[in-house]
Amino acid sequence: MRRQLRLKIATISAAVMLTGSGSFSLSAQEFNSTPSAITYADLADLADPAEMVVRARIKKQAEVEPERAPGLQAGWARLYIEAETLGLISGSSSLGESLRYLVDVPRDSKGRAPKLKKREVILFARPVPGNANQLRLVAPDAQLMWSEQLEARLRPILTGMLGPDSRPAITGIRDALSIRGNLAGESETQIFLSTENDGPVSVSVIRRPGMVPRWGVSWSEIVDQAARPPQRATLEWYRLACFLPARLPGSVNLARDSGSRAQAVADYDFVVSQLGSCTRTRS
């Protein structure tokens, strides 16, 4: 039996290599019992590259020998998992009734891997061509303990990413320009972003004397002065808060005079502060 299990591990290790470099900074106890510790950004980071999101129940687990687990970080174990398919949360690929995959999990304080048999999990994965019973996780740790609460948090993210109006991934800043108004303290700054699919995205900041600055984001060709800021923990917020650079690069600042350049920098800093931090528990 052990020899057969080793052969299975060797076979799936060759066919299903773990991808990605993300890892949870959660303890083994949190990993098993505290899905609420997982942030919106954690879920979006896993959902974005996944071709399928699967709910499954673990039937068997075996720890992969260290020599068969390249890239395994200290304090973690690589497990070979056999699981029962419970449902496809997202995706269209065909799946078998049983699944096999590799996953990295944190050890507990005594150096032991968690016992996951009979636990229900959510898997963020890609199919293995020609084998409906094998999965390739999008990251070594792309397995979460299932709960109704966690699935309810995940579904709107998947819907937003797969919908016809899905917000494009932000890849950088194309250019920024601040223009002074006719009155003292009046200005308008436009920041144009570059995206993965070249979709138009722009951020505007409008200042009027005696009024608080007003800003918003437009996801169309039209630069809309009525645009509003995205709500926190939404796909729009995630695309901006988690991928905009912390500082406005000087090379994209199109203003020529020092005052307008400084205003563009100040308005960009204002937007970043308004978005708030993109909290992740995966490092």
Side-chain angles (χ1 to χ4, degrees):
M1 176 67 76
R2 289 193 175 186
R3 184 173 180 275
Q4 290 177 342
L5 187 56
R6 289 196 189 98
L7 288 174
K8 285 184 178 181
I9 292 174
T11 300
I12 198 170
S13 295
V16 184
M17 296 300 294
L18 293 165
T19 58
S21 58
S23 60
F24 278 102
S25 57
L26 304 177
S27 68
Q29 182 178 2
E30 290 173 318
F31 177 86
N32 284 316
S33 62
T34 317
S36 60
I38 300 164
T39 69
Y40 184 97
D42 290 331
L43 291 176
D45 286 346
L46 290 170
D48 211 7
E51 296 179 28
M52 58 173 62
V53 180
V54 182
R55 180 179 170 186
R57 181 183 293 114
I58 295 176
K59 297 166 60 179
K60 296 180 182 179
Q61 71 176 67
E63 187 167 340
V64 179
E65 298 171 352
E67 59 268 24
R68 296 184 183 275
L72 182 67
Q73 63 175 316
W76 286 61
R78 182 160 299 166
L79 301 181
Y80 163 81
I81 300 289
E82 292 185 3
E84 171 191 3
T85 303
L86 296 180
L88 192 61
I89 298 174
S90 175
S92 57
S93 298
S94 60
L95 281 177
E97 294 182 1
S98 62
L99 299 171
R100 292 176 290 163
Y101 59 93
L102 299 174
V103 64
D104 288 1
V105 296
R107 299 182 184 276
D108 63 17
S109 59
K110 295 182 180 180
R112 297 174 301 196
K115 295 181 179 180
L116 303 177
K117 186 177 179 180
K118 297 184 180 180
R119 297 295 302 272
E120 292 188 18
V121 294
I122 296 177
L123 307 173
F124 300 83
R126 301 184 182 101
V128 174
N131 195 326
N133 296 106
Q134 289 186 5
L135 293 179
R136 179 185 291 111
L137 300 189
V138 298
D141 57 359
Q143 169 187 275
L144 303 180
M145 297 299 105
W146 177 88
S147 71
E148 288 185 6
Q149 176 193 22
L150 187 62
E151 184 173 336
R153 292 174 57 201
L154 175 61
R155 284 190 176 277
I157 297 174
L158 295 170
T159 300
M161 289 181 170
L162 298 174
D165 297 326
S166 177
R167 303 313 189 190
I170 304 299
T171 58
I173 300 174
R174 197 166 72 238
D175 49 55
L177 179 64
S178 185
I179 302 174
R180 295 177 182 178
N182 295 324
L183 303 175
E186 186 179 48
S187 66
E188 181 174 342
T189 298
Q190 296 289 341
I191 304 165
F192 296 92
L193 309 180
S194 54
T195 63
E196 195 172 66
N197 63 357
D198 293 327
V201 182
S202 62
V203 177
S204 59
V205 182
I206 299 174
R207 295 181 184 267
R208 298 288 184 263
M211 299 176 63
V212 296
R214 182 163 53 87
W215 78 282
V217 56
S218 175
W219 301 89
S220 68
E221 295 282 359
I222 301 173
V223 179
D224 187 1
Q225 291 191 355
R228 294 290 180 263
Q231 293 185 349
R232 190 172 178 85
T234 62
L235 186 56
E236 290 85 354
W237 170 85
Y238 167 75
R239 294 300 192 200
L240 296 169
C242 298
F243 295 97
L244 285 178
R247 297 286 181 267
L248 183 70
S251 59
V252 305
N253 197 337
L254 301 182
R256 295 185 177 182
D257 65 278
S258 59
S260 294
R261 290 182 66 85
Q263 188 63 64
V265 171
D267 285 344
Y268 183 82
D269 291 344
F270 170 72
V271 169
V272 170
S273 68
Q274 290 288 299
L275 287 167
S277 62
C278 172
T279 304
R280 290 177 164 111
T281 62
R282 304 175 69 237
S283 55

